């Protein structure tokens, strides 16, 4: 029974509650979820698809739109099939299951979203480090200014502190420049370069 194909007339007898026009519309609008053949403008539907057609009918009766019905079919785990005409015999068809390809695409998109989020978090972290370094530099500059004023008043011991603080300031400035270069290098890398290392 599962591999048996029904004509539209036989299908209509099996599903008397669904008008023929509605059945044809379901076949056209959800072809990727229903196993059928079309030969010379005549539909031949696999008998195992009766329950699926009942479900589609119920979803439409519940007020769902075409896209929402498609989503429900996908969520129910029905395999997506593509009908490909055989080059040698146009009447025979072969079905390919593309669920694996769709799953792989979803995984790739999810991976790209994660990479993008990680990159954003990294940039935020670097931005915070920059703010902290700038704050430290400003504090050092203020301390140096205070010490210079004391030095101008003739205190020799303070002169050594000024020199030491100046060296620290230069080291901090170098750190800020290195972080800025790293940020620019990170920004210039595209997501694809990060993914594929090119």
């Amino acid at each position: 029974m599962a591999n048996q194909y029904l004509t539209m007339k036989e299908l209509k007898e099996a599903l008397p509650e669904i008008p023929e026009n509605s059945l044809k519309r379901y076949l056209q609008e959800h072809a990727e979820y229903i196993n059928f053949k079309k030969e010379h403008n005549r539909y031949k539907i696999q008998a195992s698809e009766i329950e699926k057609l009942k479900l589609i009918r119920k979803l439409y009766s519940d007020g769902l739109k075409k896209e929402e019905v498609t989503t429900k079919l996908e969520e129910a785990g029905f395999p997506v099939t593509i009908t490909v005409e055989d080059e040698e015999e146009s009447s025979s068809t072969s079905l390919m299951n593309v669920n694996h390809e769709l799953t792989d695409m979803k995984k790739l998109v999810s991976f790209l979203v994660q990479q993008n989020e990680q990159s954003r978090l990294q940039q935020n972290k670097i931005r915070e480090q920059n703010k902290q370094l700038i704050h430290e530099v400003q504090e050092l500059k203020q301390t140096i200014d205070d010490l210079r004023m004391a030095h101008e008043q003739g205190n020799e011991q303070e002169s050594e502190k000024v020199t030491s603080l100046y060296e620290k300031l230069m080291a901090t400035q170098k750190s800020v420049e290195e972080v800025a270069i790293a940020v620019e290098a990170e920004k210039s890398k595209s997501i694809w370069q990060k993914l594929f290392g090119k």
Side-chain angles (χ1 to χ4, degrees), residues 112-153:
L112 290 173
V113 167
Q114 282 178 339
Q115 288 296 312
N116 200 25
E117 182 62 16
Q118 284 177 357
S119 177
R120 190 182 65 76
L121 291 172
Q122 185 75 15
Q123 286 178 356
N124 286 346
K125 186 179 175 185
I126 291 170
R127 212 172 284 127
E128 286 304 314
Q129 287 173 339
N130 274 349
K131 283 181 186 174
Q132 183 63 32
L133 285 170
I134 288 165
H135 179 68
E136 287 173 17
V137 168
Q138 286 170 344
E139 283 184 345
L140 280 169
K141 278 183 178 174
Q142 185 60 50
T143 306
I144 287 171
D145 287 343
D146 293 347
L147 289 171
R148 273 206 182 117
M149 286 176 71
H151 177 65
E152 285 170 7
Q153 294 167 3

Side-chain angles (χ1 to χ4, degrees), residues 157-182:
Q157 190 181 4
E158 295 297 325
S159 178
E160 289 174 17
K161 285 185 181 178
V162 169
T163 306
S164 171
L165 283 169
Y166 184 75
E167 286 168 3
K168 286 181 185 175
L169 177 62
M170 289 298 106
T172 304
Q173 185 177 348
K174 188 177 178 190
S175 295
V176 170
E177 288 169 359
E178 286 172 0
V179 170
I181 289 167

Side-chain angles (χ1 to χ4, degrees), residues 42-176:
R42 290 188 182 152
Y43 290 96
K44 289 198 171 183
I45 303 94
Q46 199 164 40
S48 60
E49 301 301 283
I50 290 174
E51 291 306 312
K52 205 180 292 177
L53 287 164
K54 284 181 183 177
L55 172 63
I56 292 170
R57 177 66 173 181
K58 182 189 179 309
L59 293 171
Y60 277 112
S61 297
D62 290 346
L64 274 65
K65 303 273 186 285
K66 178 186 169 185
E67 292 76 16
E68 294 169 318
V69 171
T70 300
T71 301
K72 291 285 184 189
L73 292 172
E74 184 183 331
E75 288 171 356
F78 290 118
V80 175
T81 56
I82 298 175
T83 304
V84 181
E85 284 196 9
D86 195 319
E87 289 177 8
E88 293 174 8
E89 296 178 21
S90 60
S91 62
S92 70
T93 58
S94 60
L95 298 173
M96 296 184 301
N97 188 333
V98 294
N99 269 2
H100 294 297
E101 287 79 359
L102 289 173
T103 302
D104 289 345
M105 289 290 283
K106 285 178 183 176
K107 283 179 184 172
L108 178 61
V109 168
S110 175
F111 176 73
L112 290 173
V113 167
Q114 282 178 339
Q115 288 296 312
N116 200 25
E117 182 62 16
Q118 284 177 357
S119 177
R120 190 182 65 76
L121 291 172
Q122 185 75 15
Q123 286 178 356
N124 286 346
K125 186 179 175 185
I126 291 170
R127 212 172 284 127
E128 286 304 314
Q129 287 173 339
N130 274 349
K131 283 181 186 174
Q132 183 63 32
L133 285 170
I134 288 165
H135 179 68
E136 287 173 17
V137 168
Q138 286 170 344
E139 283 184 345
L140 280 169
K141 278 183 178 174
Q142 185 60 50
T143 306
I144 287 171
D145 287 343
D146 293 347
L147 289 171
R148 273 206 182 117
M149 286 176 71
H151 177 65
E152 285 170 7
Q153 294 167 3
N155 189 335
E156 195 60 42
Q157 190 181 4
E158 295 297 325
S159 178
E160 289 174 17
K161 285 185 181 178
V162 169
T163 306
S164 171
L165 283 169
Y166 184 75
E167 286 168 3
K168 286 181 185 175
L169 177 62
M170 289 298 106
T172 304
Q173 185 177 348
K174 188 177 178 190
S175 295
V176 170

